Each structure stands twice: as C-alpha cells, then as structure tokens.
Amino acid sequence: MDREISKEVRRKEQRKQIIKIGGGIGIAIIVIAFLISIMQTSLNRKDLTISTVDQGIIEVSVSASGKVVPAFEEIITSPINSRIVEVYKRGGDVVDVGDPILKLDLQTAENEYNKLLDEQDMMRLQLEQLRLTNQSKLSEAEMKLKISRMTLNRKEVELRNERYLDSLGAGTTDKVLQVELDYNVSQLQLAEDEQKYINDKELAGADYKVKQLEYSIFQKNLTEMKRTLNDAEIRSPRKAILTYINNEIGAQVTQGNKVAVISDLSHFKIEGEIADTYGDRIAPGSKAVVKIGSDKLNGTVSDVTPLSKNGVISFTVQLEESNHSRLRSGLKTDVYVMNAIKDDVLRIANASYYVGKGEYELFVVNGDQLLKRKVQLGDSNFEYVEVVNGLKAGDEVIVSDMNDYKEKNKLKISD
C-alpha cells in the first residue's frame, strides 16, 4: 500500500532539481563565455604598428607622384634629311666630348655646300667689280667737275677783263653782256655738276652697301650650312652615357628626327606630377621631400609648368644629394611638397591608412582590447597626420593596415 510523500521530502527533491538546473545553466554560461573568448579575434601587439598621439609641429605638405630622371639629358637630332651609313657607339657606352656616335650620308649636302662656295666667289668678284665701276664713274664725274671749275674761273677772268676794257672805252657794252652771260651759264653748269657728283657718289655708295649686305647674308647662310654639315657628323657634345641610339644602318632620317640621347647618370632630379586642384600649393622654391623606400631625400622645387595637361601639373625637384646611391633613372618615388606650418597640434604617424582630410574609423588600444573609434583627421606631411577630433594626447592608435578587420568593432590584443 502506497504512502503519501511528506512535504519535507518533496521540498528537498525540488531543491535538488533547482540546484541541478542552476548548475547546468552556470556551466553552460561558462562554456559559452569560454567559446566566445576563444572565437574572439586576437592580434599580437608585435604584429601591429602603433602610433602614440602627441603634440607638436606639422609642416603641411601635399603628396605627388615622381620619377627619377637624369639631371642632364640631351636629345641629338639629325640636322639634315639623310640616311645612316655608319654607327660607332652602342647604347650604354660612355662618350666624351667630340666622340663620333654615328655618321650620316653627307654627299648631297656637301655638293650643295660646294655649289654655294662657288656662288660666294662669284658674288665677291661682282662686289669688287661694282666697287671699281663706281670708283671709275666717280673719277670721271670728279674730273668733269674740275673742268667746270676751271671753265668758270676762266670766264670770271674774261668778264673782269671786259669790264676793265669797257671802263677805259676800249670795249663795248654788248661784249661785256655776252661775257657776263657766259660766266653765269658756267656758274649754273658748275652747280649742276657739283650736285650730280654728290648724287652719283651717294647712289654709288648705296648700291655698294646693298651688294655688301647681300654678300654678308649669303656668307651667314653659308656659315650656317657649314655648321649644319659639322653637326651632321654626329658627335657627343659632352661627357655622358649614351642612353639611346638609332643603330639601323641605312635608315632614312629627316631633319629634326631623334638619332641619339646622352644622359648624365651620375646625378639625378625628380619629375613630379600632381592634380591641378593642388597647383596653387606648389611654387618654385618650395621645400620638398622625396621618399625612396625608407630613405628620405631633401630637395627644392625648381620649376612648375604653368599649364595643366589632362588635369595634371608637372614640376621638377632639384635634390640636395643628387648622386644618392638609391637613385636610378626611371624609378618611381613619392614626393611631398611643403606649403605651410602648423604649430602645437595633435598628430599621429602617417601611413597607408591616410588618403586625405576627413573622417576615419581607427582602432585605439584600450587595455587588452582594440576599440574602433571615429576620428577626424586634417592636414599631413610625409611623417605625421593632424588629429582634429576623436583622440587625445597619449592615445595609442593602430596605423598599420587593418582592412581585414573593417567589419569588427572590437579586437583582442596580446603581448
């Protein structure tokens, strides 16, 4: 026969059940917390780049792309229409002043030059002939002028004699008038001859000067052609390295075509490009820093192109250490051009995360955790970025690449 279970026993059983259920829930919570702890992303501190927010100066700069080019480069062009008949050097050869590089076919040009030499001789003879002709004409005119003066002197004596005779009653008035008329005519003839001599002399001088000028122009053209012929013997204008040469023998080249390039590969400069929206921040004389890997080279902007091309402005940076061992022709670089100074601002290290002014989400160290925080950043240079809002001095910020964790708001960090 069944007995009724006492209330005391039932309460004990209920307490046991409650303890079992509570213990199970507690164990479950511990297990879940443990699993969450295990599943939470954990990063090693030594694998991260951490920047501590500090206060200081920022020399504000704009960043641009750059390329290393030889400090000196000269393009040698063909001075005439011709063809290549011989090649003396190869690309990469060191050339000195006057070293022959290649030879062009000069036969046609030399024939033309020799023809001009003959024309020069003919023009010189014509000029001498004109000088002698003018001298002969002027001599004749001068002789005629002398005769006219002598005739006038004789007429003057005759007139004086006739007047004297007339005063003595031995002459006649008609005779005096006749001699006086002859004297006046001789005066007019002398004046005419004198003016004609002056005119002939000036005209002869002007004709001779015109011919002299024509001869001088011809000589200059001849000298220019001689220089062109000398240039056609393609030689190095200075000591450098031959970085390009048209070595195709028989190839036709037209006047102005590039046939060789020589460069000074011991010294370099930087050719930079930047969006024209930043054009007002770059000017000749601005300080610049060129980054090649971890090396930083100081320089100065020497010139800026006045016009934008395809939305880009070009400029040149002259380096203080133009022969640095890291410099190689064609090497790509980062260029930072300084344009302002900001004192006493909060700043963090510049790195790949920074792409310009604006709002960023950065991870900030908080004990053994990294917490994502919205931060307002301002101007920058190649070393620092200005912190406008969201951080305070002493905060530690992750500045290494965190793109793999952009969906996370919290990360664990371990030493």
Side-chain angles (χ1 to χ4, degrees):
M1 185 173 173
D2 294 335
R3 287 189 307 173
E4 184 180 354
I5 299 173
S6 67
K7 291 182 179 179
E8 180 84 16
V9 173
R10 281 200 302 270
R11 281 196 296 269
K12 286 182 179 180
E13 288 297 326
Q14 287 174 351
R15 282 197 295 270
K16 287 180 181 179
Q17 289 295 327
I18 291 172
I19 291 171
K20 286 180 181 180
I21 293 171
I25 292 173
I27 292 171
I29 291 172
I30 293 172
V31 170
I32 291 171
F34 178 73
L35 291 175
I36 290 174
S37 176
I38 292 175
M39 294 174 63
Q40 184 177 2
T41 304
S42 179
L43 301 176
N44 196 314
R45 193 181 188 94
K46 68 180 182 181
D47 296 330
L48 302 172
T49 304
I50 300 175
S51 174
T52 302
V53 180
D54 67 354
Q55 207 156 4
I57 295 174
I58 291 182
E59 285 188 288
V60 181
S61 65
V62 289
S63 59
S65 61
K67 182 175 72 172
V68 179
V69 298
F72 160 80
E73 187 173 75
E74 183 170 343
I75 298 174
I76 302 174
T77 59
S78 174
I80 59 173
N81 297 325
S82 184
R83 65 186 182 90
I84 298 172
V85 293
E86 290 184 50
V87 176
Y88 305 119
K89 300 290 183 180
R90 295 177 300 176
D93 287 352
V94 177
V95 291
D96 209 338
V97 179
D99 283 355
I101 297 175
L102 56 80
K103 182 179 181 181
L104 300 177
D105 182 3
L106 304 180
Q107 184 173 355
T108 302
E110 286 175 344
N111 289 340
E112 182 66 24
Y113 178 71
N114 290 331
K115 180 181 176 182
L116 291 178
L117 285 177
D118 293 337
E119 288 185 28
Q120 183 191 31
D121 291 339
M122 184 175 66
M123 289 185 70
R124 185 171 58 249
L125 291 174
Q126 289 175 344
L127 186 63
E128 179 63 17
Q129 184 180 29
L130 177 62
R131 186 186 69 80
L132 293 174
T133 300
N134 289 339
Q135 185 177 347
S136 176
K137 286 182 179 180
L138 289 176
S139 295
E140 289 179 4
E142 190 173 1
M143 183 60 68
K144 186 177 179 182
L145 187 60
K146 287 181 179 179
I147 292 173
S148 295
R149 284 175 180 151
M150 292 173 64
T151 301
L152 181 63
N153 290 336
R154 181 172 58 79
K155 295 289 185 180
E156 184 179 9
V157 172
E158 290 179 359
L159 179 59
R160 224 176 15 247
N161 291 337
E162 287 298 328
R163 284 175 176 171
Y164 178 71
L165 291 174
D166 185 48
S167 65
L168 297 177
T172 64
T173 303
D174 291 340
K175 183 66 174 175
V176 172
L177 292 174
Q178 180 64 44
V179 173
E180 189 173 4
L181 179 62
D182 289 344
Y183 174 74
N184 291 336
V185 170
S186 295
Q187 271 189 320
L188 293 174
Q189 185 66 48
L190 177 61
E192 181 183 357
D193 290 344
E194 285 177 339
Q195 187 60 50
K196 187 174 184 303
Y197 176 77
I198 292 172
N199 293 341
D200 288 347
K201 187 175 182 180
E202 290 179 352
L203 183 62
D207 286 344
Y208 189 74
K209 284 181 179 179
V210 169
K211 289 295 183 181
Q212 270 189 322
L213 183 59
E214 290 177 356
Y215 182 66
S216 177
I217 293 173
F218 186 86
Q219 279 187 313
K220 288 178 181 177
N221 291 335
L222 189 63
T223 302
E224 180 64 21
M225 187 167 187
K226 177 61 176 175
R227 187 189 65 78
T228 300
L229 274 175
N230 292 336
D231 290 345
E233 298 175 354
I234 307 298
R235 297 176 180 271
S236 174
R238 65 187 68 214
K239 186 174 183 179
I241 293 177
L242 187 64
T243 52
Y244 167 81
I245 184 170
N246 185 343
N247 57 6
E248 188 178 349
I249 294 177
Q252 295 290 329
V253 291
T254 58
Q255 184 178 0
N257 269 15
K258 179 174 71 175
V259 293
V261 178
I262 60 170
S263 307
D264 178 4
L265 297 183
S266 61
H267 293 81
F268 299 89
K269 61 184 179 182
I270 305 297
E271 287 186 350
E273 290 186 341
I274 194 169
D276 54 11
T277 53
Y278 296 99
D280 59 338
R281 300 193 187 184
I282 297 181
S286 299
K287 284 177 56 181
V289 173
V290 177
K291 285 187 68 177
I292 304 176
S294 59
D295 291 323
K296 301 180 183 69
L297 304 179
N298 294 322
T300 304
V301 176
S302 59
D303 59 83
V304 181
T305 56
L307 298 177
S308 169
K309 185 177 180 181
N310 298 324
V312 171
I313 288 178
S314 301
F315 61 95
T316 303
V317 176
Q318 300 293 338
L319 298 171
E320 292 179 4
E321 196 176 353
S322 61
N323 59 348
H324 192 275
S325 59
R326 291 292 301 275
L327 294 171
R328 294 288 184 276
S329 183
L331 184 67
K332 301 294 184 181
T333 67
D334 293 321
V335 182
Y336 299 88
V337 180
M338 311 303 173
N339 59 78
I341 295 178
K342 286 191 172 183
D343 294 319
D344 200 25
V345 296
L346 292 177
R347 61 189 188 178
I348 56 175
N350 197 344
S352 59
Y353 70 90
Y354 181 77
V355 292
K357 292 182 180 181
E359 189 176 76
Y360 291 78
E361 291 185 333
L362 301 178
F363 285 97
V364 180
V365 178
N366 184 18
D368 62 350
Q369 292 183 327
L370 300 178
L371 302 180
K372 185 179 287 185
R373 188 185 300 177
K374 288 186 177 181
V375 177
Q376 190 76 23
L377 300 180
D379 291 314
S380 70
N381 62 18
F382 66 96
E383 289 182 305
Y384 297 107
V385 176
E386 177 190 11
V387 177
V388 178
N389 195 14
L391 295 173
K392 64 181 183 299
D395 283 347
E396 293 183 313
V397 184
I398 308 301
V399 294
S400 49
D401 186 6
M402 298 293 283
N403 278 333
D404 292 341
Y405 312 103
K406 61 184 178 181
E407 302 300 328
K408 304 282 187 181
N409 290 320
K410 182 189 297 184
L411 297 170
K412 189 169 184 176
I413 186 171
S414 59
D415 292 327

